[in-house]
């Protein structure tokens, strides 16, 4: 379903059956995680919501799928921000209710807020690739999703500040657990925000990551 203007593609999608896709040119109340806003001028971004079956690793699988659809140089910051050369290119919001999961993906194309990145790709090509990658990665073995997320990550190995409701701490992001939680100095972080502190060594973000398919 393609719409000119909506409050949020998530709002339209949540009333539709599994398999539906909602795409809009503009959102008047685009949402990020934790009640934040997602802002994009009309026609400047890919704004889509996919209605899918719930899946225990959906947030990470959607991140991997979106990074693969965007192509080389796009990496993932935990839990699933899309990053291009250290700047935020896009974001993913997964909302589950009533036996459905709505995966909202926003990717900047012709403009980006100050400090953010954009990707010069035709929106229809990107949408086709996203649909195909989402279907592949949501049906891939969980071990493949975790392995690929680790390869594409710019968070693992970094010093990070973890911001939880009422509690903040710093440590090294060591791994992601089997359920997708981030492990920071041995502590599991299941939700919340992670801020990257100083870069260590040559840095994951400049590392070449060969392309992979969901079939391994
Ligand atoms: C996200 O939240 O990154 C998830 C964004 C999901 C947006 C899509 S668009 C289609 C679908 N319909 C919706 O209503 N939402 C989904 P979060 O990690 O909370 O990041 C939000 C933060 O990113 C904001 O507080 C800003 O700082 C920043 N931000 C807002 N708009 C941005 C943009 N266009 N590019 C880069 N950063 C942005």
């Amino acid at each position: 379903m393609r719409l000119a203007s909506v409050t949020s593609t998530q709002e339209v999608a949540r009333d539709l059956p599994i398999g539906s896709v909602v795409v809009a040119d503009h959102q008047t109340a685009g949402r990020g995680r934790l009640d934040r806003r997602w802002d994009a001028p009309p026609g400047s971004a890919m704004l889509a919501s996919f209605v899918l079956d719930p899946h225990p690793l959906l947030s990470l699988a959607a991140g991997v799928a979106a990074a693969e659809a965007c192509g080389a140089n796009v990496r993932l910051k935990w839990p699933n921000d899309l990053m291009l050369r250290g700047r935020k290119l896009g974001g993913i919001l997964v909302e589950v209710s009533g036996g459905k999961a709505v995966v909202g993906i926003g990717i900047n194309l012709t403009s980006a807020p100050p400090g953010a990145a954009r990707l010069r790709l035709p929106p229809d090509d990107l949408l086709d690739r996203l649909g195909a990658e989402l279907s592949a990665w949501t049906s891939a073995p969980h071990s493949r999703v975790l392995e690929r997320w680790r390869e594409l990550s710019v968070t693992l190995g970094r010093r990070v500040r973890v911001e939880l409701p009422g509690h903040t701490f710093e440590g090294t992001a060591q791994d992601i657990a089997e359920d997708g939680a981030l492990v920071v100095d041995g502590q599991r972080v299941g939700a919340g925000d992670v801020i990257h502190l100083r870069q260590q060594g040559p840095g994951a973000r400049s590392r070449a990551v060969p392309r992979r398919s969901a079939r391994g």
Side-chain angles (χ1 to χ4, degrees):
M1 179 186 292
R2 183 162 220 128
L3 300 165
S5 182
V6 293
T7 50
S8 157
T9 54
Q10 296 290 100
E11 297 304 315
V12 181
R14 72 176 177 195
D15 295 326
L16 299 177
I18 287 169
S20 306
V21 184
V22 177
V23 183
D25 289 334
H26 185 227
Q27 299 184 122
T28 54
R31 296 207 303 267
R33 295 179 302 124
L34 312 168
D35 286 333
R36 291 186 289 234
R37 285 186 58 86
W38 187 259
D39 293 310
S44 70
M46 211 222 47
L47 307 166
S49 294
F50 296 80
V51 188
L52 303 174
D53 282 313
H55 173 306
L57 285 183
L58 187 54
S59 170
L60 297 188
V64 169
E68 297 286 15
C70 287
N73 302 323
V74 174
R75 299 285 182 270
L76 293 166
K77 172 176 177 284
W78 189 89
N80 55 16
D81 280 353
L82 296 167
M83 306 295 291
L84 181 60
R85 297 185 189 91
R87 294 171 179 237
K88 185 158 171 169
L89 167 70
I92 298 175
L93 173 67
V94 179
E95 295 176 311
V96 181
S97 71
K100 297 188 276 193
V102 180
V103 178
I105 304 180
I107 299 172
N108 302 321
L109 298 177
T110 57
S111 80
R118 66 192 176 108
L119 189 68
R120 290 158 206 264
L121 268 187
D124 289 345
D125 290 2
L126 182 55
L127 188 64
D128 287 349
R129 283 153 64 161
L130 252 183
E133 294 287 354
L134 265 176
S135 135
W137 286 100
T138 52
S139 47
H142 293 186
S143 58
R144 278 292 300 142
V145 174
L146 292 167
E147 180 192 356
R148 189 59 175 150
W149 191 93
R150 289 183 181 107
E151 287 172 347
L152 291 168
S153 166
V154 286
T155 299
L156 297 183
R158 297 280 301 246
R159 290 285 301 171
V160 296
R161 183 161 65 241
V162 179
E163 298 191 339
L164 304 170
H167 177 49
T168 295
F169 70 97
E170 292 185 6
T172 300
Q174 295 164 315
D175 198 3
I176 38 168
E178 297 294 297
D179 62 356
L182 185 68
V183 181
V184 179
D185 285 358
Q187 293 188 60
R188 290 166 43 84
V189 180
D193 262 328
V194 156
I195 291 161
H196 288 175
L197 301 174
R198 67 190 157 76
Q199 178 83 27
Q200 291 186 328
R205 78 176 187 229
S206 55
R207 183 166 42 93
V209 178
R211 298 208 32 98
R212 295 274 169 81
S213 85
R215 285 189 298 279

